[in-house]
């Protein structure tokens, strides 16, 4: 753990003017031996309080807290993602508990504050109204707070609210967490906190806090990344009886009012044992002093699925029930109502069906109007609340300096906008989304490019483009994956059109082409070459000439998969090897093996490969990459992608990407491009696998995966989706 300080927790609990010996729901944990990816260097602080008339028992609160700790360290990904995951679980649990207790008029809201310490950085997530004060050793005080009007806590609705903050955290700093701020805890008290030792600050907070306090004080002390928990003065020994101390001039360096367990001071340990969650049912209900809920509570899953359902559904159900009652009563009261309102009773000679329609329609219309106004007003408030959250996250993003923090904050802006626009899409929300997307693109080094249809007349429906090759003459050759033939499209000045005079396959002696490549310079006007599964080469000549066919000498009779041509030589990928055919001999001599005795262990999992200047790249189905140099006999399995956004180390895969194909840019460019077909994204790397940028569509491409792509000499991308061909200019 790359920290040079320990965390010391001192709960501050006071009820009825008496100090309490324990504060259930307050805990600091260190990573277990087997933590999920991203959790091994983090210590998490949990402070959970329930409000309402259906609280949990102290034992139940401790079990919930232990489960939150366990779930956090089992969740991979970013710190904010892990914090949100456990908040969603707790929201689901409390919501189900409240629904079961609704018939008794009982409910509880969870006020949860999570603080994660990673190296010298502090990440705070608040659900529900609460306060967190960071008091630095230099005398600075930061106050993190959300009001009850903005967030009532967990268990109230389906949507999980969570608000994020971050700050530097160093040895000598103090953190105070409390769901409710006592009136006596003024700015002057916190401004003097850096002058006080822990025991003195504890006494001052108790004196100024009144009869009821629920807070956790965390201080940092030199150490090796452990945690300790201190206990306040035992119950019955009120601090009011202690001799007064000065907040400005500490009286003593000792801490006479605090006790510490020896084992807690000597080694960093997790304070709560791993729970048996099968027991979290009735044991989590209130104590005998508070009426418990009899209805059983089904335990939600430990890894919750995010569910987005409109919070107005309960209102719709109530509206429908009220509407049915109204309709039933309308028939009884409508006659008398109409007699009082109409001047001529002869109107009651109207048909019975007409009177019945009036009796039903009038209350229905009135109720519908009222319900529409109610729902519109309620949705408007939710929209405004989420827009405030988005604007607050944007303000934080603009203040952050570190790339990771900016990305977290801007991602939160987009998340709040998604929630706001489920209720209303406005010019304000769209403008903010454009701003947030641009900020995220800048952090991710994303370049937006616009794609246009490339072919003047659509290609036949029988075409499915699986490979694209560009030549020095700026023509495009397409491999049709359906009939295994090669198509040629030529530029017309206003787009490309299919050259119907071009013939390249099928040839009776071939089993169907599986790959194509641009031909090396030659005197026979051969533009493109194709490979079939039997190891035969088809050489195609534009202008209507018949293709030339010859077999390459097969040294390995296993399955042929792909081939490329580099510096005039042909490289053939088979099931378990890469073979090199000498171009100076017309590819007709026996090949040599690329790897010699050092065969990559995962060559059979290769889905695509590329060669440039004797360096080989093998792309595997899981997104990893094997590289090898021909002359240096150097094999890296796997090699790493470097300089990825928000990553200080090289990674064996590109996070979030599913790579399907790779291509070298046309010479003299030395960029290596990777295609994420499902995400319509192209990544650009240097030959040393250093990340440069990624390209994403500015406009929307059709649904479906990209089936082929290439980068041309004229700095253009061509991508295919079935029989559709698109192009974009590379900036």
């Amino acid at each position: 753990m790359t920290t040079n300080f320990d965390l010391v927790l001192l709960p501050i609990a006071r009820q009825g003017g008496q100090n309490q010996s324990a504060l259930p729901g307050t805990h600091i944990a260190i990573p277990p031996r087997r933590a999920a990816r991203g959790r091994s260097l983090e210590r998490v602080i949990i402070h959970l309080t329930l409000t309402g008339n259906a609280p949990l028992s102290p034992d139940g609160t401790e079990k919930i807290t232990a489960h939150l700790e366990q779930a956090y360290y089992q969740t991979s990904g970013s710190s904010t993602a892990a914090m949100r995951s456990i908040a969603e679980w707790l929201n689901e649990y409390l919501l189900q508990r409240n629904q079961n207790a609704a018939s008794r008029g009982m409910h509880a809201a969870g006020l949860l504050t999570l603080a994660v310490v990673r190296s010298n950085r502090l990440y705070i997530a608040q659900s529900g109204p609460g306060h967190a004060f960071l008091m630095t050793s230099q005398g600075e005080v930061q106050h993190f707070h959300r009001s009850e009007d903005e967030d009532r806590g967990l268990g109230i609705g389906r949507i999980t609210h969570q608000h994020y903050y971050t700050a530097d955290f160093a040895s000598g700093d103090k953190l105070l967490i409390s769901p409710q701020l006592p009136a006596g805890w003024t700015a002057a008290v916190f401004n003097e906190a850096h002058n006080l030792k822990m025991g003195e600050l504890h006494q001052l907070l108790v004196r100024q806090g009144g009869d009821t306090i629920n807070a956790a004080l965390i201080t940092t002390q030199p150490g090796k990344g452990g945690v300790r928990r201190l206990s306040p003065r035992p119950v019955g020994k009120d601090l009011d009886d202690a001799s007064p101390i000065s907040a400005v001039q500490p009286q003593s360096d000792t801490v006479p009012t605090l006790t510490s367990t020896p084992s807690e001071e000597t080694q960093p340990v997790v304070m709560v044992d791993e729970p048996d969650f099968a027991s979290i049912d009735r044991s989590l209900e209130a104590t005998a002093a508070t009426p418990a809920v009899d209805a059983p509570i089904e335990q939600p899953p430990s890894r919750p699925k995010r569910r987005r359902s409109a919070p107005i559904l309960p209102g719709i159900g109530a509206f429908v029930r009220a509407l049915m009652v109204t309709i039933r009563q309308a028939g009884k009261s409508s006659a008398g109502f109409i007699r009082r309102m109409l001047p001529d009773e002869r109107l009651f000679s109207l048909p019975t069906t007409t009177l019945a329609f009036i009796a039903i329609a009038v209350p229905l219309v009135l109720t519908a109007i009222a319900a529409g106004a109610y729902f519109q007003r309620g949705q408007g408030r939710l929209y405004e609340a989420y827009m405030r959250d988005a604007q607050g996250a944007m303000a934080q993003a603009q203040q952050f300096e570190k790339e990771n923090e900016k990305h977290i904050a801007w991602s939160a802006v987009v998340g709040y906008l998604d929630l706001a626009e489920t209720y209303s899409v406005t010019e304000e929300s769209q403008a903010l989304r454009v701003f947030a997307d641009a900020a995220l693109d800048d952090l991710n080094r994303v370049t937006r490019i616009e794609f246009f249809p490339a072919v003047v007349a659509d290609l036949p429906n029988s075409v499915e483009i699986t490979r694209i090759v560009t030549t020095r003459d700026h023509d495009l050759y397409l491999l049709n994956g359906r009939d295994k033939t090669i198509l040629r499209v030529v530029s017309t000045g206003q787009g490309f059109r299919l050259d119907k005079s071009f013939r390249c396959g099928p040839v009776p002696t071939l089993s169907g082409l599986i790959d194509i490549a641009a031909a090396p310079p030659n005197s026979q006007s051969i533009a493109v070459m194709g490979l079939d599964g039997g190891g035969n080469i088809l050489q195609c000549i534009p202008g209507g000439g018949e293709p030339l066919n010859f077999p390459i000498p097969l040294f390995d009779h296993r399955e042929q998969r792909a081939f490329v041509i580099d510096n005039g030589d042909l490289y053939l990928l088979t099931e378990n090897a890469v073979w090199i055919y000498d171009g100076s001999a017309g590819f007709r001599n026996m090949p040599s093996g690329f790897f010699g005795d050092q065969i990559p262990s995962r060559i059979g999992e290769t889905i695509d490969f590329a060669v440039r200047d004797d360096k080989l790249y093998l792309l595997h189905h899981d997104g990893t990459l094997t590289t090898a140099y021909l002359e240096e006999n150097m094999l890296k399995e796997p090699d790493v992608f470097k300089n990825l956004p928000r990553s200080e180390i090289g990674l064996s895969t590109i996070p979030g990407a599913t790579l399907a194909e790779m291509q070298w840019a046309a010479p003299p460019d030395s960029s290596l491009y990777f295609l994420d077909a499902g995400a319509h994204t192209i990544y650009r790397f240097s030959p040393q696998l250093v990340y440069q940028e990624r390209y994403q569509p500015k406009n929307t491409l059709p649904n479906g995966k990209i089936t082929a792509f290439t980068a041309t000499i004229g700095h253009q991308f061509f991508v295919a989706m079935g029989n559709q061909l698109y192009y974009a200019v590379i900036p």
Side-chain angles (χ1 to χ4, degrees), residues 622-636:
D622 61 355
T624 59
L625 203 66
T626 297
T627 62
Y629 288 93
L630 179 62
E631 297 297 334
E632 301 178 14
N633 196 25
M634 182 185 299
L635 180 67
K636 292 184 179 179

Side-chain angles (χ1 to χ4, degrees), residues 559-581:
E559 178 187 0
Q560 319 300 310
R561 295 192 173 181
F563 80 113
V564 297
I565 296 176
D566 180 58
N567 292 329
D569 295 331
L570 187 149
Y571 294 78
L572 176 65
L573 172 69
T574 65
E575 183 180 353
N576 65 347
V578 173
W579 302 103
I580 307 173
Y581 291 85

Side-chain angles (χ1 to χ4, degrees), residues 452-463:
F452 302 94
V455 180
V456 176
D458 290 341
L459 298 174
N461 292 331
S462 59
V463 172

Side-chain angles (χ1 to χ4, degrees), residues 48 80 95 171-172 195 223 258 263 385 408 435 471 520 581 595 602 615 617 657 668 671 710:
L48 172 63
T80 52
L95 180 62
S171 181
N195 292 322
L258 305 179
S263 61
I408 291 172
F435 195 73
T471 66
Y581 291 85
F595 300 107
R602 301 184 58 200
K615 184 175 182 180
Y617 303 79
S671 297
T710 192

Side-chain angles (χ1 to χ4, degrees), residues 225-427:
V227 299
R228 288 185 289 158
R229 182 187 182 105
L230 303 179
S231 300
R233 184 187 295 273
V235 178
K237 296 184 179 180
D238 197 302
L239 285 179
D240 288 339
D241 298 332
S243 58
I245 63 172
S246 171
V248 179
Q249 298 179 353
Q251 294 181 353
S252 173
D253 292 339
T254 61
V255 189
T257 61
L258 305 179
T259 62
S260 174
T261 304
S263 61
E264 294 172 347
E265 294 182 329
T266 57
Q267 60 181 3
V269 295
V270 179
M271 300 304 168
V272 179
D273 293 334
E274 185 172 311
D276 178 11
F277 236 77
S279 63
I280 298 188
D281 39 49
R282 297 294 298 277
S283 63
L284 294 180
E285 300 302 331
T287 57
T290 304
V293 181
D294 294 333
I297 298 178
E298 180 182 355
Q299 180 62 31
S302 60
R303 296 299 300 273
K305 295 182 179 178
R306 182 174 299 181
R307 289 186 284 176
R308 179 180 295 175
S309 58
I312 62 173
L313 289 179
I316 293 177
F319 162 68
V320 172
R321 291 192 296 271
L323 177 61
M324 297 304 297
V325 173
T326 302
I327 292 175
R328 286 195 299 268
Q329 294 177 347
K332 300 178 181 179
S333 59
S334 59
F337 172 76
I338 296 176
R339 286 191 181 96
R340 290 192 298 270
M341 296 298 296
L342 298 178
D344 191 348
E345 292 191 2
R346 288 177 298 176
L347 291 177
F348 287 96
S349 61
L350 293 173
T352 304
T353 55
T354 302
L355 293 176
F357 172 76
I358 294 174
I360 295 175
V362 170
L364 177 62
V365 171
L366 293 177
T367 306
I369 293 173
Y374 170 78
F375 291 144
Q376 184 176 8
R377 183 180 181 186
Q379 292 183 21
R381 288 182 176 178
L382 289 170
Y383 165 81
E384 293 172 358
Y386 287 127
M387 284 299 295
R388 286 196 302 269
D389 289 335
Q391 291 162 352
M394 180 183 68
Q396 289 182 333
Q398 293 172 332
Q399 295 176 358
F400 292 150
E401 296 180 0
K402 296 183 178 180
E403 187 177 274
N404 285 343
E405 297 167 356
K406 287 178 176 290
H407 190 271
I408 291 172
W410 283 116
S411 297
V413 173
V414 173
Y416 286 127
L417 286 174
D418 290 341
L419 292 172
E421 290 186 343
T422 60
Y423 302 102
S424 179
V425 179
T426 65
E427 292 184 0

